[in-house]
Amino acid sequence: MNNTNENVNIVIAGPRGNMGREAVRMVTDTDHFTLKAVVDSKHDGMKVADLDGMPALDIPVYTDMDRCFSEHEVDVLIDLTSPAFGRKHMEIAFNHGVRPVVGTTGFSDEDIETLRTIAENKNLGGIIAPNFAIGAILMMKFSQMAAKFLPDVEIIERHHDRKLDAPSGTAIKTAQLISEVREAKVQGHPDEHEELKGARGADFEGMKIHSVRLPGLVAHQEVIFGGEGQTLTIRHDSMNRASFMPGVRLAVETVLSIDTLVYGLENIIE
Ligand SMILES: NC(=O)c1ccc[n+]([C@@H]2O[C@H](COP(=O)([O-])OP(=O)(O)OC[C@H]3O[C@@H](n4cnc5c(N)ncnc54)[C@H](O)[C@@H]3O)[C@@H](O)[C@H]2O)c1
Ligand SMILES: O=C(O)C1=N[C@H](C(=O)O)CCC1
Protein backbone atom coordinates (compact mmCIF):
# COMPACT_ATOMS: atom_id res chain seq x y z
CA MET A 1 0.00 0.00 0.00
CA ASN A 2 1.17 3.54 -0.78
CA ASN A 3 0.98 4.73 2.81
CA THR A 4 3.15 7.74 2.10
CA ASN A 5 0.43 9.27 -0.08
CA GLU A 6 3.00 9.96 -2.78
CA ASN A 7 1.51 11.29 -5.98
CA VAL A 8 0.16 8.63 -8.38
CA ASN A 9 -0.08 9.45 -12.09
CA ILE A 10 -3.16 7.83 -13.60
CA VAL A 11 -4.73 7.20 -17.02
CA ILE A 12 -8.39 6.15 -17.24
CA ALA A 13 -9.64 4.08 -20.19
CA GLY A 14 -13.39 4.34 -20.84
CA PRO A 15 -13.90 7.82 -19.30
CA ARG A 16 -17.35 8.40 -20.82
CA GLY A 17 -18.86 5.16 -19.49
CA ASN A 18 -20.93 4.74 -16.34
CA MET A 19 -17.89 3.64 -14.35
CA GLY A 20 -15.37 5.83 -16.18
CA ARG A 21 -17.23 9.05 -15.30
CA GLU A 22 -17.30 8.08 -11.65
CA ALA A 23 -13.59 7.16 -11.78
CA VAL A 24 -12.69 10.55 -13.33
CA ARG A 25 -14.50 12.21 -10.40
CA MET A 26 -12.81 9.98 -7.81
CA VAL A 27 -9.30 10.50 -9.25
CA THR A 28 -9.64 14.27 -9.60
CA ASP A 29 -11.10 14.49 -6.06
CA THR A 30 -8.20 12.52 -4.51
CA ASP A 31 -5.35 14.80 -3.45
CA HIS A 32 -2.49 12.40 -4.17
CA PHE A 33 -3.86 11.20 -7.54
CA THR A 34 -3.18 13.04 -10.80
CA LEU A 35 -5.21 12.31 -13.93
CA LYS A 36 -2.65 12.59 -16.75
CA ALA A 37 -4.85 11.55 -19.70
CA VAL A 38 -7.84 9.43 -20.71
CA VAL A 39 -8.14 6.77 -23.42
CA ASP A 40 -11.48 6.80 -25.23
CA SER A 41 -12.84 4.90 -28.24
CA LYS A 42 -13.08 8.26 -30.08
CA HIS A 43 -12.29 12.01 -29.69
CA ASP A 44 -8.51 11.68 -30.19
CA GLY A 45 -6.74 15.04 -29.64
CA MET A 46 -9.65 16.59 -27.74
CA LYS A 47 -9.73 17.52 -24.04
CA VAL A 48 -11.96 15.94 -21.36
CA ALA A 49 -13.72 19.33 -21.14
CA ASP A 50 -14.85 18.91 -24.79
CA LEU A 51 -16.66 15.63 -24.11
CA ASP A 52 -20.43 15.72 -23.54
CA GLY A 53 -21.37 15.92 -19.88
CA MET A 54 -17.78 15.68 -18.67
CA PRO A 55 -16.12 18.08 -16.18
CA ALA A 56 -14.15 21.10 -17.42
CA LEU A 57 -10.75 19.40 -17.27
CA ASP A 58 -7.80 20.35 -19.45
CA ILE A 59 -6.80 16.68 -19.75
CA PRO A 60 -5.88 15.14 -23.14
CA VAL A 61 -7.96 12.41 -24.79
CA TYR A 62 -6.21 9.62 -26.74
CA THR A 63 -7.61 6.75 -28.77
CA ASP A 64 -4.18 5.11 -29.03
CA MET A 65 -3.11 3.77 -25.62
CA ASP A 66 0.43 3.05 -26.82
CA ARG A 67 0.90 6.68 -27.82
CA CYS A 68 -0.67 7.90 -24.60
CA PHE A 69 1.85 5.93 -22.50
CA SER A 70 4.73 7.06 -24.74
CA GLU A 71 3.85 10.71 -24.19
CA HIS A 72 3.15 10.66 -20.42
CA GLU A 73 4.79 9.37 -17.24
CA VAL A 74 2.10 7.02 -15.93
CA ASP A 75 2.04 4.81 -12.83
CA VAL A 76 -1.43 3.24 -13.07
CA LEU A 77 -4.00 2.52 -15.77
CA ILE A 78 -7.62 2.25 -14.60
CA ASP A 79 -9.47 0.25 -17.26
CA LEU A 80 -13.28 0.38 -17.32
CA THR A 81 -14.05 -0.44 -20.93
CA SER A 82 -15.54 -3.62 -22.38
CA PRO A 83 -14.66 -7.33 -22.36
CA ALA A 84 -13.27 -7.06 -25.91
CA PHE A 85 -10.53 -4.59 -24.88
CA GLY A 86 -9.57 -5.31 -21.25
CA ARG A 87 -6.88 -7.89 -22.01
CA LYS A 88 -5.27 -5.87 -24.82
CA HIS A 89 -5.17 -2.76 -22.64
CA MET A 90 -3.47 -4.67 -19.84
CA GLU A 91 -0.81 -5.99 -22.20
CA ILE A 92 -0.10 -2.48 -23.51
CA ALA A 93 0.12 -1.16 -19.94
CA PHE A 94 2.59 -3.87 -18.85
CA ASN A 95 4.71 -3.21 -21.95
CA HIS A 96 5.07 0.41 -20.84
CA GLY A 97 5.80 -0.44 -17.19
CA VAL A 98 2.33 0.80 -16.18
CA ARG A 99 0.38 -1.10 -13.50
CA PRO A 100 -3.21 -1.87 -14.51
CA VAL A 101 -6.23 -1.74 -12.19
CA VAL A 102 -9.03 -3.33 -14.14
CA GLY A 103 -12.74 -3.40 -13.39
CA THR A 104 -13.66 -4.56 -16.86
CA THR A 105 -15.25 -8.02 -16.68
CA GLY A 106 -15.27 -10.96 -19.10
CA PHE A 107 -11.72 -12.35 -18.60
CA SER A 108 -11.25 -16.09 -19.14
CA ASP A 109 -9.08 -18.22 -16.81
CA GLU A 110 -6.55 -18.39 -19.64
CA ASP A 111 -6.48 -14.58 -19.99
CA ILE A 112 -5.78 -14.25 -16.28
CA GLU A 113 -2.98 -16.84 -16.34
CA THR A 114 -1.34 -15.22 -19.38
CA LEU A 115 -1.54 -11.77 -17.83
CA ARG A 116 -0.15 -13.05 -14.52
CA THR A 117 2.86 -14.47 -16.35
CA ILE A 118 3.45 -11.14 -18.11
CA ALA A 119 3.14 -9.24 -14.80
CA GLU A 120 5.60 -11.52 -13.02
CA ASN A 121 8.09 -11.48 -15.91
CA LYS A 122 8.05 -7.70 -15.78
CA ASN A 123 7.99 -7.53 -11.97
CA LEU A 124 4.87 -5.39 -12.09
CA GLY A 125 1.67 -5.43 -10.09
CA GLY A 126 -1.78 -5.60 -11.63
CA ILE A 127 -5.27 -6.00 -10.21
CA ILE A 128 -8.37 -7.37 -11.91
CA ALA A 129 -11.43 -6.94 -9.69
CA PRO A 130 -14.78 -8.19 -10.98
CA ASN A 131 -16.41 -6.11 -8.24
CA PHE A 132 -14.91 -3.15 -6.37
CA ALA A 133 -17.77 -2.74 -3.86
CA ILE A 134 -16.71 -3.70 -0.33
CA GLY A 135 -20.20 -5.12 0.35
CA ALA A 136 -19.92 -7.38 -2.69
CA ILE A 137 -16.54 -8.65 -1.49
CA LEU A 138 -18.10 -9.47 1.88
CA MET A 139 -21.03 -11.19 0.13
CA MET A 140 -18.52 -13.42 -1.68
CA LYS A 141 -16.52 -14.16 1.47
CA PHE A 142 -19.66 -14.92 3.51
CA SER A 143 -20.88 -17.18 0.68
CA GLN A 144 -17.63 -19.11 0.71
CA MET A 145 -17.99 -19.52 4.47
CA ALA A 146 -21.62 -20.69 4.20
CA ALA A 147 -20.86 -23.21 1.43
CA LYS A 148 -18.78 -25.30 3.82
CA PHE A 149 -21.96 -26.02 5.78
CA LEU A 150 -24.65 -25.68 3.07
CA PRO A 151 -23.19 -27.03 -0.20
CA ASP A 152 -26.43 -26.69 -2.23
CA VAL A 153 -26.37 -23.20 -3.71
CA GLU A 154 -27.67 -21.16 -6.64
CA ILE A 155 -26.67 -17.63 -7.65
CA ILE A 156 -29.02 -15.01 -9.05
CA GLU A 157 -27.30 -11.90 -10.39
CA ARG A 158 -29.25 -8.87 -11.62
CA HIS A 159 -27.78 -6.06 -13.71
CA HIS A 160 -28.83 -3.16 -15.94
CA ASP A 161 -29.74 -4.08 -19.53
CA ARG A 162 -26.65 -2.38 -21.08
CA LYS A 163 -24.38 -5.06 -19.68
CA LEU A 164 -22.48 -7.06 -22.33
CA ASP A 165 -21.26 -10.13 -20.42
CA ALA A 166 -23.31 -12.87 -18.73
CA PRO A 167 -23.00 -14.24 -16.19
CA SER A 168 -21.44 -11.28 -14.39
CA GLY A 169 -17.80 -11.36 -13.33
CA THR A 170 -19.00 -11.24 -9.72
CA ALA A 171 -21.19 -14.33 -10.14
CA ILE A 172 -18.31 -16.28 -11.71
CA LYS A 173 -15.93 -15.17 -8.96
CA THR A 174 -18.48 -16.16 -6.30
CA ALA A 175 -18.85 -19.61 -7.85
CA GLN A 176 -15.05 -19.99 -8.03
CA LEU A 177 -14.66 -19.08 -4.35
CA ILE A 178 -17.41 -21.52 -3.36
CA SER A 179 -15.87 -24.28 -5.47
CA GLU A 180 -12.61 -23.89 -3.49
CA VAL A 181 -14.39 -25.15 -0.37
CA ARG A 182 -17.00 -27.63 -1.63
CA GLU A 183 -16.82 -30.84 -3.62
CA ALA A 184 -18.21 -30.58 -7.18
CA LYS A 185 -21.85 -31.55 -6.81
CA VAL A 186 -24.76 -32.01 -9.19
CA GLN A 187 -27.74 -30.21 -7.73
CA GLY A 188 -31.44 -30.71 -8.25
CA HIS A 189 -33.14 -33.93 -9.33
CA PRO A 190 -30.83 -36.30 -11.27
CA ASP A 191 -33.56 -36.76 -13.90
CA GLU A 192 -34.54 -33.11 -14.28
CA HIS A 193 -34.76 -31.77 -17.85
CA GLU A 194 -35.37 -28.32 -19.26
CA GLU A 195 -38.69 -27.80 -21.08
CA LEU A 196 -37.22 -24.52 -22.30
CA LYS A 197 -33.45 -24.39 -22.96
CA GLY A 198 -31.64 -22.35 -20.31
CA ALA A 199 -34.43 -22.63 -17.73
CA ARG A 200 -32.02 -23.94 -15.10
CA GLY A 201 -29.38 -21.26 -15.81
CA ALA A 202 -25.66 -21.60 -16.49
CA ASP A 203 -23.72 -24.39 -14.79
CA PHE A 204 -20.50 -23.91 -12.82
CA GLU A 205 -19.40 -27.26 -11.34
CA GLY A 206 -23.02 -28.10 -10.53
CA MET A 207 -23.91 -24.63 -9.24
CA LYS A 208 -26.57 -22.82 -11.25
CA ILE A 209 -26.11 -19.16 -12.12
CA HIS A 210 -29.11 -17.10 -13.30
CA SER A 211 -28.64 -13.71 -15.00
CA VAL A 212 -31.36 -11.05 -15.01
CA ARG A 213 -30.98 -7.94 -17.21
CA LEU A 214 -33.48 -5.10 -16.75
CA PRO A 215 -33.53 -1.32 -17.01
CA GLY A 216 -33.59 0.28 -13.58
CA LEU A 217 -31.10 -2.18 -12.09
CA VAL A 218 -27.45 -1.33 -11.30
CA ALA A 219 -25.64 -4.41 -9.85
CA HIS A 220 -27.21 -6.91 -7.48
CA GLN A 221 -26.63 -10.51 -6.46
CA GLU A 222 -28.26 -13.12 -4.25
CA VAL A 223 -26.50 -16.30 -3.23
CA ILE A 224 -29.15 -18.75 -2.02
CA PHE A 225 -28.21 -21.81 0.02
CA GLY A 226 -30.62 -24.65 0.71
CA GLY A 227 -30.48 -27.24 3.49
CA GLU A 228 -32.88 -29.54 5.27
CA GLY A 229 -35.91 -27.36 6.12
CA GLN A 230 -34.06 -24.07 5.66
CA THR A 231 -32.60 -21.59 3.20
CA LEU A 232 -30.02 -18.86 3.66
CA THR A 233 -29.84 -15.87 1.32
CA ILE A 234 -26.79 -13.58 1.16
CA ARG A 235 -27.57 -10.51 -0.89
CA HIS A 236 -25.71 -7.42 -2.04
CA ASP A 237 -27.01 -4.37 -3.93
CA SER A 238 -25.04 -1.58 -5.55
CA MET A 239 -27.47 1.34 -5.94
CA ASN A 240 -25.00 3.51 -7.87
CA ARG A 241 -21.47 3.47 -9.33
CA ALA A 242 -20.08 5.57 -6.48
CA SER A 243 -20.31 2.33 -4.45
CA PHE A 244 -17.33 0.97 -6.43
CA MET A 245 -14.97 3.93 -5.99
CA PRO A 246 -13.45 3.28 -2.53
CA GLY A 247 -12.42 -0.13 -3.90
CA VAL A 248 -10.90 1.41 -7.04
CA ARG A 249 -8.94 3.88 -4.86
CA LEU A 250 -7.69 1.06 -2.62
CA ALA A 251 -6.66 -0.99 -5.67
CA VAL A 252 -4.70 1.94 -7.15
CA GLU A 253 -2.85 2.39 -3.85
CA THR A 254 -2.17 -1.32 -3.47
CA VAL A 255 -1.07 -2.09 -7.03
CA LEU A 256 2.01 0.09 -6.55
CA SER A 257 3.49 -2.29 -3.98
CA ILE A 258 2.81 -5.72 -5.53
CA ASP A 259 4.68 -7.57 -8.26
CA THR A 260 2.12 -10.06 -9.51
CA LEU A 261 -1.41 -10.04 -10.88
CA VAL A 262 -4.12 -10.21 -8.23
CA TYR A 263 -7.57 -11.38 -9.36
CA GLY A 264 -10.25 -10.29 -6.89
CA LEU A 265 -10.24 -7.56 -4.27
CA GLU A 266 -10.85 -10.15 -1.54
CA ASN A 267 -7.12 -10.96 -1.87
CA ILE A 268 -6.11 -7.47 -0.73
CA ILE A 269 -8.81 -6.87 1.92
CA GLU A 270 -7.89 -9.20 4.76
N1 LIG B 1 -15.40 -4.23 -11.21
C1 LIG B 1 -16.48 -3.53 -10.89
O1 LIG B 1 -16.75 -3.23 -9.71
C2 LIG B 1 -17.38 -3.09 -12.00
C3 LIG B 1 -18.47 -2.25 -11.77
C4 LIG B 1 -19.22 -1.83 -12.84
C5 LIG B 1 -18.89 -2.25 -14.12
N2 LIG B 1 -17.86 -3.08 -14.31
C6 LIG B 1 -17.39 -3.48 -15.63
O2 LIG B 1 -16.70 -2.36 -16.15
C7 LIG B 1 -16.87 -2.29 -17.57
C8 LIG B 1 -17.48 -0.93 -17.92
O3 LIG B 1 -18.78 -0.83 -17.36
P1 LIG B 1 -19.69 0.46 -17.64
O4 LIG B 1 -21.01 0.19 -17.01
O5 LIG B 1 -18.95 1.69 -17.29
O6 LIG B 1 -19.83 0.35 -19.23
P2 LIG B 1 -20.15 1.51 -20.27
O7 LIG B 1 -20.61 0.83 -21.52
O8 LIG B 1 -21.03 2.55 -19.65
O9 LIG B 1 -18.73 2.18 -20.54
C9 LIG B 1 -17.69 1.60 -21.25
C10 LIG B 1 -16.92 2.72 -21.91
O10 LIG B 1 -15.75 2.18 -22.50
C11 LIG B 1 -15.52 2.83 -23.71
N3 LIG B 1 -14.68 1.99 -24.56
C12 LIG B 1 -15.03 0.87 -25.26
N4 LIG B 1 -13.98 0.41 -25.93
C13 LIG B 1 -12.94 1.23 -25.66
C14 LIG B 1 -11.59 1.27 -26.07
N5 LIG B 1 -11.07 0.36 -26.89
N6 LIG B 1 -10.80 2.26 -25.57
C15 LIG B 1 -11.29 3.17 -24.73
N7 LIG B 1 -12.58 3.20 -24.31
C16 LIG B 1 -13.39 2.24 -24.78
C17 LIG B 1 -16.92 3.06 -24.30
O11 LIG B 1 -16.89 4.09 -25.25
C18 LIG B 1 -17.69 3.42 -23.04
O12 LIG B 1 -17.68 4.81 -22.83
C19 LIG B 1 -17.74 -3.50 -17.92
O13 LIG B 1 -16.90 -4.57 -18.30
C20 LIG B 1 -18.44 -3.84 -16.63
O14 LIG B 1 -18.81 -5.20 -16.54
C21 LIG B 1 -17.10 -3.51 -13.28
O1 LIG C 1 -22.38 -2.85 -14.40
C1 LIG C 1 -21.71 -3.87 -14.58
O2 LIG C 1 -21.47 -4.34 -15.71
C2 LIG C 1 -21.12 -4.55 -13.41
N1 LIG C 1 -20.36 -5.58 -13.62
C3 LIG C 1 -19.67 -6.28 -12.60
C4 LIG C 1 -19.72 -7.78 -12.87
O3 LIG C 1 -19.77 -8.22 -14.03
O4 LIG C 1 -19.67 -8.52 -11.90
C5 LIG C 1 -20.11 -6.00 -11.20
C6 LIG C 1 -20.55 -4.63 -10.97
C7 LIG C 1 -21.38 -4.01 -12.06
Side-chain angles (χ1 to χ4, degrees):
M1 170 105 57
N2 176 24
N3 288 324
T4 56
N5 277 4
E6 272 172 31
N7 181 60
V8 187
N9 290 326
I10 297 173
V11 163
I12 296 175
R16 285 179 302 115
N18 293 316
M19 283 290 280
R21 283 171 195 268
E22 210 54 65
V24 167
R25 193 169 306 133
M26 181 276 289
V27 168
T28 52
D29 283 353
T30 303
D31 285 345
H32 60 294
F33 289 178
T34 302
L35 184 61
K36 298 296 281 188
V38 297
V39 177
D40 193 359
S41 47
K42 45 190 184 183
H43 306 119
D44 194 45
M46 293 172 77
K47 295 289 164 89
V48 169
D50 304 325
L51 308 181
D52 253 4
M54 297 291 288
L57 296 169
D58 187 26
I59 306 278
V61 180
Y62 289 80
T63 52
D64 182 339
M65 189 175 279
D66 245 320
R67 192 160 62 80
C68 174
F69 290 149
S70 304
E71 294 182 7
H72 297 273
E73 278 287 314
V74 181
D75 302 306
V76 175
L77 164 71
I78 300 177
D79 189 86
L80 301 160
T81 58
S82 79
F85 296 101
R87 173 173 168 167
K88 179 105 184 69
H89 288 171
M90 288 186 76
E91 286 176 8
I92 297 171
F94 283 134
N95 283 340
H96 284 267
V98 173
R99 293 160 185 258
V101 165
V102 177
T104 305
T105 47
F107 287 89
S108 66
D109 292 347
E110 191 208 334
D111 288 335
I112 292 168
E113 269 326 298
T114 307
L115 289 161
R116 183 171 290 127
T117 304
I118 298 173
E120 290 179 357
N121 286 344
K122 295 197 175 276
N123 234 0
L124 287 171
I127 296 176
I128 299 175
N131 201 313
F132 284 112
I134 178 71
I137 305 304
L138 293 173
M139 167 191 62
M140 291 185 252
K141 284 189 170 230
F142 295 158
S143 298
Q144 191 183 43
M145 200 184 290
K148 279 188 196 163
F149 304 98
L150 294 167
D152 287 83
V153 52
E154 303 211 1
I155 298 170
I156 305 176
E157 55 98 340
R158 299 180 174 86
H159 280 84
H160 58 92
D161 64 348
R162 305 288 87 204
K163 185 161 179 60
L164 296 175
D165 51 318
S168 70
T170 308
I172 294 171
K173 184 68 172 161
T174 307
Q176 288 169 337
L177 289 171
I178 290 174
S179 75
E180 284 175 16
V181 299
R182 77 162 211 173
E183 299 277 302
K185 177 172 200 295
V186 179
Q187 293 178 194
H189 196 288
D191 298 332
E192 78 177 12
H193 66 279
E194 293 180 328
E195 302 293 345
L196 282 178
K197 191 169 165 355
R200 290 287 290 122
D203 187 276
F204 186 101
E205 294 183 10
M207 265 172 271
K208 299 297 182 190
I209 305 179
H210 312 270
S211 297
V212 178
R213 297 288 177 265
L214 285 172
L217 294 172
V218 178
H220 318 261
Q221 181 168 292
E222 280 174 46
V223 188
I224 309 174
F225 297 87
E228 188 62 45
Q230 60 181 316
T231 65
L232 168 68
T233 302
I234 301 173
R235 176 179 173 130
H236 176 260
D237 298 274
S238 269
M239 310 302 189
N240 56 41
R241 272 87 185 182
S243 65
F244 303 112
M245 293 304 128
V248 178
R249 190 183 297 117
L250 174 68
V252 168
E253 288 167 342
T254 305
V255 80
L256 297 167
S257 57
I258 58 176
D259 52 12
T260 184
L261 178 71
V262 169
Y263 165 52
L265 221 55
E266 70 281 1
N267 295 302
I268 60 173
I269 297 174
E270 287 308 329

